[in-house]
Amino acid sequence: GESVGLHLPTLSVQEGDNSIINCAYSNSASDYFIWYKQESGKGPQFIIDIRSNMDKRQGQRVTVLLNKTVKHLSLQIAATQPGDSAVYFCAERSKAAGNKLTFGGGTRVLVKP
Amino acid sequence: DGGITQSPKYLFRKEGQNVTLSCEQNLNHDAMYWYRQDPGQGLRLIYYSQIVNDFQKGDIAEGYSVSREKKESFPLTVTSAQKNPTAFYLCASSIVGRAPGFGEGSWLTVV
């Protein structure tokens, strides 16, 4: 079946550097993508989303890029801070699949002081 | 998300027992979801509902049941048929077509 996966299970980054988290998806019918941040023992928090008619969207310190040709999604975090240490998940939705929201396996980001 | 309340935070189940996890939202959202998360893993969809009195199975519905009698409530029952229920359970809600917000989760342990 369709799946959403991540390339890197753990990412270590120096405080102040930029972080890039990657995600591959396999369902070409997916039309909506979301990035979430999850801290230990808590529910995921929404970071940013993007629809399939866009290839880039920016938020505060974050940018999501969507490449539909290669079915790839990335989250860029500028000037990474200690508070950015968490697990990051991408999720995708397909209207054709009844609006199910499917999550990838997650990437842990560790920010070094 | 402050508008989504899950209870209890911690729950223990004996072998052969059914347990029910509560999820309430005051955001007037039509869509509600239940996910299961095992340690170090991603979220897997159990059930979801896009409207009152209707719900669909997710990827791992076996051993679980839900109801959606009220817009604000979407309880999840973990039945004795679920052989490995120990996990972190997350409820979410959204306006249909928008990104769901999540509750703080419920930890279920079999004793």
Side-chain angles (χ1 to χ4, degrees), chain A residues 49-65:
Chain A
D49 58 0
I50 189 167
R51 299 195 183 274
S52 58
N53 60 353
M54 303 173 68
D55 53 19
K56 180 179 180 179
R57 190 157 188 240
Q58 289 184 291
Q60 187 177 10
R61 281 201 308 119
V62 295
T63 300
V64 55
L65 299 177

Side-chain angles (χ1 to χ4, degrees), chain B:
Chain B
D1 192 321
I4 303 170
T5 303
Q6 290 187 238
S7 63
K9 179 69 174 177
Y10 300 96
L11 185 61
F12 298 90
R13 191 193 93 171
K14 293 182 179 179
E15 295 282 350
Q17 277 186 338
N18 293 352
V19 293
T20 297
L21 306 179
S22 170
C23 180
E24 304 278 332
Q25 52 96 4
N26 61 3
L27 303 167
N28 201 34
H29 286 168
D30 284 309
M32 296 189 74
Y33 309 79
W34 274 106
Y35 287 88
R36 168 180 171 143
Q37 187 174 33
D38 292 286
Q41 303 294 318
L43 282 69
R44 292 184 290 167
L45 182 64
I46 306 173
Y47 271 97
Y48 65 110
S49 168
Q50 298 189 76
I51 196 168
V52 175
N53 292 322
D54 189 39
F55 49 83
Q56 289 78 40
K57 292 182 178 180
D59 299 315
I60 56 164
E62 184 175 354
Y64 300 97
S65 65
V66 293
S67 61
R68 187 83 189 277
E69 297 176 0
K70 297 186 296 183
K71 188 175 187 178
E72 59 270 24
S73 179
F74 192 40
L76 174 73
T77 296
V78 184
T79 75
S80 57
Q82 172 49 243
K83 298 306 178 187
N84 185 23
T86 296
F88 188 45
Y89 290 87
L90 287 156
C91 178
S93 73
S94 73
I95 297 169
V96 173
R98 300 290 298 274
F102 283 81
E104 287 300 300
S106 294
W107 293 92
L108 174 62
T109 303
V110 173
V111 297

Side-chain angles (χ1 to χ4, degrees), chain A residues 5-94:
Chain A
L6 297 180
H7 296 160
L8 300 173
T10 303
L11 176 66
S12 291
V13 59
Q14 200 70 37
E15 181 179 355
D17 287 352
N18 297 337
S19 303
I20 299 176
I21 306 167
N22 296 301
C23 177
Y25 66 95
S26 58
N27 184 0
S28 57
S30 294
D31 58 359
Y32 182 50
F33 303 87
I34 310 165
W35 280 101
Y36 286 93
K37 171 186 179 183
Q38 187 179 28
E39 297 175 333
S40 182
K42 296 186 177 181
Q45 298 172 273
F46 171 85
I47 301 173
I48 193 167
D49 58 0
I50 189 167
R51 299 195 183 274
S52 58
N53 60 353
M54 303 173 68
D55 53 19
K56 180 179 180 179
R57 190 157 188 240
Q58 289 184 291
Q60 187 177 10
R61 281 201 308 119
V62 295
T63 300
V64 55
L65 299 177
L66 175 63
N67 185 331
K68 293 181 288 294
T69 301
V70 295
K71 298 195 198 74
H72 185 267
L73 188 70
S74 68
L75 177 70
Q76 301 177 4
I77 305 173
T80 310
Q81 302 170 358
D84 295 328
S85 291
V87 177
Y88 290 80
F89 293 98
C90 64
E92 59 95 9
R93 184 206 71 185
S94 166

